[in-house]
Every structure is written in structure tokens, then in C-alpha cells.
Amino acid sequence: MIDLSHLRGDFPLLEREINGYPLTYLDSASTTQKPVQVIDAVDTYYRTINANVHRGAYTLAAEATDAYESSRAKVADFIGASHANEVVFTRGTTTAINFIAYGWGLNNLGEGDKVLLTVMEHHANVVPWQIISRYTGCSLEYLSIDDGFEVDLTTLDDILDERVKVIAVSGMSNVTGALGPVTALVEAAKAVGAIVVVDAAQLVPHVPTDVSQLGADFVAFSAHKMLGPTGIGALWGKPDLLERMEPTEGGGEMISDVQLYESRWAPVPHKFEAGTPPIAQAVGFGAAVDYLSKVGMADVRDHEQAITRYALDRLADIPDLTVYGPPDVERRGGAVSFQLADIHAHDIATILDQYGIAVRAGHHCAKPLMRHLDVPATARASFYVYNTTEDVDTLYDGLIEARTVFGLT
Amino acid sequence: MTSLDELYREVILDHYRNPRRRGSLSGPHVHAEGQNPSCGDEFFLDLAVEDGVITDLAISGQGCSISQASGSMMADNIVGKRISDVREITRKFKIMMSIEDGDNPVDPERPGSVLGDLESLQGVRKFPVRIKCADLAWTTLEDALDQTTE
């Protein structure tokens, strides 16, 4: 197992005590903790560089612009994009998918067209398409998941035809941890001329991702799930698609000329970045991908697979515990959802919290999936670079305690 | 007693595992639904009222032990009572849970019979994020009571 325990010291928040216990942070699928390198980059930006970007003729503004644009280049490089301009900074994954749905969907979808999704999608990759279907009259189709919690491709042939214009799929489920069948869906999309949108909020932070090899048309992800600040994310798109896509937001910074009744857009990517962008956050995003690059994404993946394997083994020893996700760590990431006996997920989370353990409980913004699994809620532990097998042991002890509190022995 | 033991008292777990008056009413009744969208807890209430008295009720839904036990205890407590008395119980409960302002009718040191089993939910006060769980049934009840006077 790759030993990343030396990284833990980079994360000041992990030194906190919660309810008298050392914090055991197991909610990185929601948001990750930040290393000092990211915190310092944001701090230094505000202390020494802060100015608005792409405007001022003065030195400071030029430095701020350089910092902002060099972060774009770092993020592009991190995902294997061939040019920095293929990366649009957005508020996060949700905004990125909305930009695609509105900017591409409104102009390319109509009555009779179909958007193909899967039941394991996060609401961020469901609701925007529902909105667009109301505007355009297009319909939504879904691939289900099989007994192994993976997207069921057996119905794909029945659904797939030329009317499918978009296939939008999660790269990795935030509930089950299952990897999405991106490669298979890219092939399927090619056959009918559809575009492929990948919700990579859980993929890019955890699995080496090379958009030049992936074959997708759009890839969306968030900085805060990969050690970076909140409030920023990225939309990567194929250059010709970004070129043809309309901006969803209008305003300053996104134009090349404005007249009384019409305007011309700035070139990609700036036509999608109306208003003052999250500059400090972009700088922090750049520092986060620097950090992950230094660790090495292959090692990040190895580390998480080892922790996940260990967690699945230990959880299997707890009576009446059901894990909702693939057992094979080659086919999944480190989000582990489970239910324990008749103890509701919120009660599990409350009990674990008393021991300083932070897990997520609820529907994880994936209600269609929860309905499919026929559970109202699950508890979810999720792992990242700073987690250790000791964290899993602490979780195990906490769950045994939960059984005791609920009178199960 | 640890905070957890105070929160998950036996009587609460009993109401969670053996909820009282579950189901739906077939005769004339009002129906109210409560949901906590952030956590997915649901509470549904059928309430039959005659001459200002709650003659029957049935509850359904799903959620955590606190939300479901609170609903079950409420169901047990209010059947046969006048609406005006039920509104007073609701007020007392909300004051006990710090949801509404007022002097706590229940002495935390010496729980009595002011609210019966419901007093066992006092432990929730130490878990502010869970108070909304205990409150769900009562907010739904208020909605149902409002319907009876419309």
C-alpha cells in the first residue's frame, strides 16, 4: 500500500478535536480538507497580488491576471487538455453542467430528441436536463443499475438511436462509488452522433483523468472536492463545441463589444466567465492541482483503493451492515454507502459524531438512486489522500457503539 | 448518563421500533404532510375531528428514530383530546425543545408527567441539528389542526 500518512501534517483542520475526540474526517466526497499549500496560496494572493483581472493597465492587475490564467493552465494540464482555453472556470460542477444544458442544450435540442442519463446521477446531472426538457420538449431516458450497483448497459441498444443527442453520465457515483461506463457510452454516442457529458465531480479528484483519451465532449468538476477552495470548478469542453456553445450568463468580461441592442462575445473561454471571476479561488485551485500532481494521481488512486478495500473488509465484519456499492475496488472509488440494521442513517451520523467521526447521512443529492435502491437514506464514509486505515478502525469502533446504543448486541 | 444515552432513551427506541397508530384513516379526516428536504424525513398524518375533539388519527412516513418516535408519541398523546388542549400541548412541547420561547414547563432534573413520554425527547436539545427531526410531527400536526378550523 502506498503510504501517504506523511501528508496528514499538511492539513491543519485534521488536528481539530470534535466532542473531545480527534477528528476522523470521512466526508471527502462532500468536500475535502485543504492543505496549507492551498491556504497559503489564497492568503498570499490576497496579501500581495489582489486586483481585478483582464482590465487594469497597471502592474498589479497584470499580476492578478497572470495568476488567474496560470491556474487555468495548471488545471488544463492536470486533466490532459491540449490547451488552457479548453478550460472554463465555473462556480463548480453544478454550474458547469447548467452551462452545458442551457448553452448547448437550448440551441441543439428539440421535440423528439432524447437526453440519456443513468439512475445513479447526482441531482446536478438530472435537474438541469429536466429544466431544458421543459423548454425544448426533448425527453429524458435512463439507464438503470444492475445488482452489482453498476450502470446496466443491457438496455442501451433498445434506447440508443439517432434521437439521442446527449449522453450525460457520472464518472463515479457519489453514493455507491461505482465508476461510470464512460468508455462504453462514448462508443455508443459515436454511433449515433450524440455528445457525451461527464459529471466528473468524483472522478477527477480521485482517478487519473486524461480528457484527450477519455473521448467525452464535456467534463465538469469542482475544486473543493480536490483540496481546492469552494466557489470554483471547471468545465472542460472540446474546442469546437465550446466555440458553438452560447454563454448562459451575460455581463462584464465576457464580451468583445457591446452596443445598445446587441453584443459580440469574447473568445472562449472568457465568453463563459461573465463578471469578476473567483480569482483567489482560481489561485487556490491551481495550488490544489500542484499538490495533487506532486503526490501523483496514480498514487492517490492506489492509496484510496487500499483504504477502500480495507474499509469494505472491516465493514463486512459488522453484523447487519449492508454496503451499497461494488465490492471490487478496481470498479469503484472511495465513497462507501451503507446501512446498519434498523438504525437510520441520521442516527448513525449523530452517534459517530459524538466520537469525532464525520460521515454524511441522507440521500446524497441522488434521490432517484435512493428510490432505486429502495432506501430512504444511507450513511456514507468517503476517503481521500489524508485518510488512513486507523480512520477506518475508528469508524468500525463507532459503528459497534451505534449497535450498542440501539440495543443490538 | 452520556448525551447519547439521553438522546436514545429506551422509550424513544421503543416508539421508533413499534410506532403507534400507523396507517391511514378511511372515514372523514384531514390530511397533512411534513418533510425535511435536507434529510428526507417524511411524516404523514390523518386526523379525524368531531365537535372540536380529536377522535382518531393515523400516521405514516419514514425517517430517523427521533422524527418517527416523536410522531408516535404525539399520536399516543393527543387522541381523545380537545383541539384547544392539543394546541397547548404543542406549545409546551415546542418550548421544552427550545423551538419556541417560554419557560420550560418540564424540570429537566425531575421530569414529570406534564408531557408524558414526550419528555423523553428532551435529550434532543443537546443536539441542535436534530431538533428539526423532533419538530417535524408537530409542525405537521399544526398544519392539520389549521385545516380543521378553515
Side-chain angles (χ1 to χ4, degrees):
Chain A
M1 172 175 169
I2 304 285
D3 182 15
L4 296 182
S5 54
H6 58 283
L7 300 181
R8 238 181 127 83
D10 290 337
F11 295 82
L13 193 135
L14 296 179
E15 289 157 25
R16 266 202 67 172
E17 279 194 0
I18 301 287
N19 296 319
Y21 290 84
L23 169 64
T24 301
Y25 187 75
L26 299 177
D27 197 19
S28 293
S30 286
T31 196
T32 59
Q33 298 306 336
K34 320 304 176 198
V36 283
Q37 290 84 343
V38 168
I39 297 167
D40 285 351
V42 174
D43 184 79
T44 303
Y45 169 79
Y46 277 129
R47 285 177 190 279
T48 63
I49 307 176
N50 182 50
N52 213 328
V53 292
H54 302 131
R55 280 182 197 156
Y58 51 90
T59 304
L60 203 56
E63 287 181 13
T65 304
D66 279 352
Y68 181 71
E69 290 301 330
S70 81
S71 282
R72 190 194 307 280
K74 287 174 184 181
V75 172
D77 192 48
F78 184 74
I79 56 167
S82 43
H83 199 279
N85 287 349
E86 295 169 12
V87 169
V88 178
F89 280 137
T90 67
R91 263 201 312 281
T93 308
T94 299
T95 302
I97 296 173
N98 274 279
F99 278 9
I100 305 164
Y102 282 85
W104 191 90
L106 272 187
N107 299 295
N108 290 280
L109 295 172
E111 204 85 40
D113 290 337
K114 296 194 277 193
V115 175
L116 179 57
L117 306 165
T118 84
V119 299
M120 76 175 194
E121 298 311 309
H122 188 283
H123 295 166
N125 199 26
V126 174
V127 183
W129 301 111
Q130 291 176 342
I131 294 172
I132 293 309
S133 83
R134 280 179 20 198
Y135 284 129
T136 64
C138 74
S139 61
L140 307 185
E141 300 275 347
Y142 284 91
L143 293 170
S144 190
I145 59 166
D146 59 26
D147 293 342
F149 303 95
E150 295 190 51
V151 174
D152 182 357
L153 294 171
T154 57
T155 59
L156 182 58
D157 282 348
D158 297 335
I159 297 172
L160 200 66
D161 58 32
E162 270 72 25
R163 289 177 303 169
V164 174
K165 299 287 194 247
V166 180
I167 301 179
V169 61
S170 168
M172 183 195 289
S173 164
N174 68 313
V175 178
T176 64
L179 293 168
V182 176
T183 308
L185 292 178
V186 164
E187 285 308 309
K190 262 187 208 152
V192 296
I195 64 161
V196 174
V197 176
V198 179
D199 169 359
Q202 302 292 340
L203 184 69
V204 167
H206 302 282
V207 180
T209 305
D210 183 346
V211 294
S212 72
Q213 301 297 312
L214 198 60
D217 296 278
F218 291 110
V219 175
F221 52 103
S222 300
H224 74 97
K225 292 188 196 294
M226 46 193 290
L227 310 181
T230 53
I232 191 164
L235 165 61
W236 171 85
K238 282 186 176 160
D240 58 320
L241 281 168
L242 288 176
E243 206 57 56
R244 282 183 284 137
M245 191 165 110
E246 286 293 315
T248 302
E249 295 180 345
E253 305 237 11
M254 54 77 70
I255 47 83
S256 64
D257 185 35
V258 177
Q259 300 187 31
L260 283 180
Y261 300 104
E262 57 181 14
S263 300
R264 286 204 314 274
W265 312 147
V268 174
H270 298 108
K271 76 171 177 182
F272 300 110
E273 296 178 2
T276 296
I279 309 166
Q281 289 83 346
V283 170
F285 196 179
V289 299
D290 279 348
Y291 188 95
L292 287 170
S293 299
K294 202 171 154 205
V295 175
M297 284 306 293
D299 282 4
V300 170
R301 173 76 174 140
D302 279 357
H303 170 79
E304 280 179 38
Q305 283 183 303
I307 299 260
T308 305
R309 189 180 292 117
Y310 184 74
L312 293 174
D313 285 350
R314 290 234 66 189
L315 293 180
D317 284 340
I318 298 176
D320 314 313
L321 189 143
T322 308
V323 170
Y324 298 95
D328 180 357
V329 295
E330 294 300 328
R331 307 188 64 80
R332 61 166 301 145
V336 181
S337 281
F338 58 91
Q339 200 165 24
L340 175 54
D342 65 348
I343 313 175
H344 194 276
H346 296 130
D347 294 313
I348 291 176
T350 292
I351 294 167
L352 293 178
D353 181 48
Q354 288 303 296
Y355 295 92
I357 306 163
V359 299
R360 178 82 186 267
H363 51 64
H364 315 291
C365 298
K367 286 190 106 170
L369 176 58
M370 304 307 278
R371 285 200 188 93
H372 180 87
L373 297 174
D374 199 22
V375 288
T378 67
R380 181 190 69 194
S382 54
F383 310 113
Y384 209 24
V385 288
Y386 35 69
N387 289 115
T388 62
T389 53
E390 286 78 29
D391 291 339
V392 176
D393 293 337
T394 307
L395 172 67
Y396 176 92
D397 294 342
L399 291 172
I400 296 297
E401 179 60 24
R403 285 182 58 86
T404 307
V405 169
F406 267 70
L408 307 164
T409 45
Chain B
M1 197 183 260
T2 69
S3 300
L4 277 180
D5 292 333
E6 271 180 68
L7 180 64
Y8 295 113
R9 286 169 190 264
E10 224 163 274
V11 60
I12 292 177
L13 295 183
D14 177 53
H15 275 275
Y16 174 53
R17 290 193 165 123
N18 309 292
R20 321 298 199 257
R21 298 183 180 273
R22 268 191 89 83
S24 56
L25 297 185
S26 47
H29 66 273
V30 295
H31 176 77
E33 303 192 350
Q35 268 153 351
N36 280 337
S38 63
C39 58
D41 287 355
E42 297 170 332
F43 185 77
F44 307 130
L45 177 63
D46 286 357
L47 199 65
V49 175
E50 268 177 55
D51 301 326
V53 174
I54 293 175
T55 53
D56 202 1
L57 67 80
I59 61 175
S60 55
Q62 56 77 27
C64 67
S65 64
I66 304 303
S67 70
Q68 300 305 301
S70 181
S72 172
M73 289 182 202
M74 178 193 82
D76 248 4
N77 190 301
I78 66 172
V79 168
K81 290 191 172 134
R82 303 197 61 77
I83 286 180
S84 54
D85 294 336
V86 170
R87 287 206 185 263
E88 181 58 18
I89 291 168
T90 304
R91 200 179 70 86
K92 281 191 173 132
F93 177 79
K94 292 202 172 203
I95 291 171
M96 177 185 84
M97 299 304 292
S98 319
I99 296 163
E100 286 177 10
D101 290 336
D103 288 334
N104 189 354
V106 183
D107 179 355
E109 299 305 315
R110 305 163 59 95
S113 58
V114 179
L115 289 170
D117 280 359
L118 288 164
E119 293 181 10
S120 64
L121 284 163
Q122 278 199 96
V124 179
R125 283 159 49 115
K126 287 191 182 161
F127 297 82
V129 296
R130 302 300 298 277
I131 288 176
K132 69 174 178 0
C133 309
D135 190 37
L136 179 63
W138 298 85
T139 303
T140 313
L141 171 65
E142 285 180 318
D143 181 12
L145 292 178
D146 289 347
Q147 291 181 46
T148 66
T149 54
E150 269 166 14

